[in-house]
Amino acid sequence: MSDYGTWRKGQDYGTILVDLDLHRVADLLPDRSSESFSSWLQQHPGIAIIARDRCGLYAEGAALGAPDAQQVADRFHLILNFSSAVERVFEERSRELVLPPEEEPEIPAAGGPRSEAMSPDRRDSLPVRRQQERRQQRLERYERVAELFGKGYTQRLISRELGLGR
C-alpha cells in the first residue's frame, strides 16, 4: 500500500479506473501493477473493452484479468502522442520550414543587386530566430518557476499560477 505523502509528492503511482460510458471514476488502485489491475478485472466480469495507455503493465493485467476484452488506446494518449510526434517533427525540420515573406519582394532590375528579402542569409535567419525565441520563452518560464519555488510556492501552486502541468 502506498504512503499518501509520497503519492502526493509524485514518488509513487496509483491507478485510476474510469467508466468511459458513464464518465465517472470506477475505482482507484493503490499501485500501478499488472497484478492489481488483473485482480480488479477478475472481480468485475463482463468488461468488453479496455481503453488504456501504452504501458505494458496494463496490457499484461488486461490480458490476464479479462482475456476476452478488446484493448484499445485511449483518446487522451493518442492525442498526446500525436501532438508530441508532430512537435518533434517540426523542431527537427525547423530549418526546412520557411514562411513566405510578409511583403512582396522587390524584383531587381536585370543585372541589379539581389533583394535583401530574398538573400539566403535572411531566409535562414527566420527559423534560427524562432528557435531562439522559443528557447528564451523556456528560459523565462524556468526562471519564473525557480522564483516562485524560492518564495515557498508548492508545485501545485506554481503549476496553477503559470498554467503548467506539474
Side-chain angles (χ1 to χ4, degrees), residues 30-42:
D31 60 11
R32 183 180 168 140
S33 72
S34 58
E35 294 82 13
S36 64
F37 185 44
S38 173
S39 174
W40 188 91
L41 287 169
Q42 290 169 357

Side-chain angles (χ1 to χ4, degrees), residues 19-146:
D19 185 327
L20 295 176
D21 290 330
L22 300 176
H23 301 283
R24 65 183 177 110
V25 174
D27 209 345
L28 299 172
L29 302 180
D31 60 11
R32 183 180 168 140
S33 72
S34 58
E35 294 82 13
S36 64
F37 185 44
S38 173
S39 174
W40 188 91
L41 287 169
Q42 290 169 357
Q43 295 169 14
H44 298 85
I47 294 177
I49 299 174
I50 299 170
R52 61 172 184 79
D53 65 8
R54 296 185 308 173
C55 179
L57 296 171
Y58 296 126
E60 182 182 337
L64 293 171
D68 296 330
Q70 181 180 10
Q71 297 184 43
V72 297
D74 66 51
R75 183 177 10 179
F76 171 80
H77 287 93
L78 282 174
I79 292 171
L80 180 68
N81 293 339
F82 176 72
S83 65
S84 295
V86 168
E87 186 175 345
R88 202 169 36 252
V89 166
F90 280 127
E91 285 178 358
E92 290 171 0
R93 308 242 183 217
S94 65
R95 288 191 170 274
E96 299 168 29
L97 300 173
V98 178
L99 295 175
E102 292 182 19
E103 298 177 14
E104 289 294 318
E106 294 179 26
I107 300 174
R114 291 182 58 182
S115 168
E116 183 183 325
M118 297 302 288
S119 72
D121 293 339
R122 182 144 174 119
R123 282 194 308 255
D124 291 343
S125 68
L126 183 61
V128 171
R129 193 168 56 245
R130 286 204 174 117
Q131 183 180 17
Q132 290 169 345
E133 288 170 0
R134 286 192 306 268
R135 183 176 291 134
Q136 182 63 34
Q137 289 171 346
R138 286 192 306 269
L139 177 62
E140 289 170 3
R141 186 173 51 223
Y142 169 79
E143 289 171 344
R144 183 74 174 125
V145 167

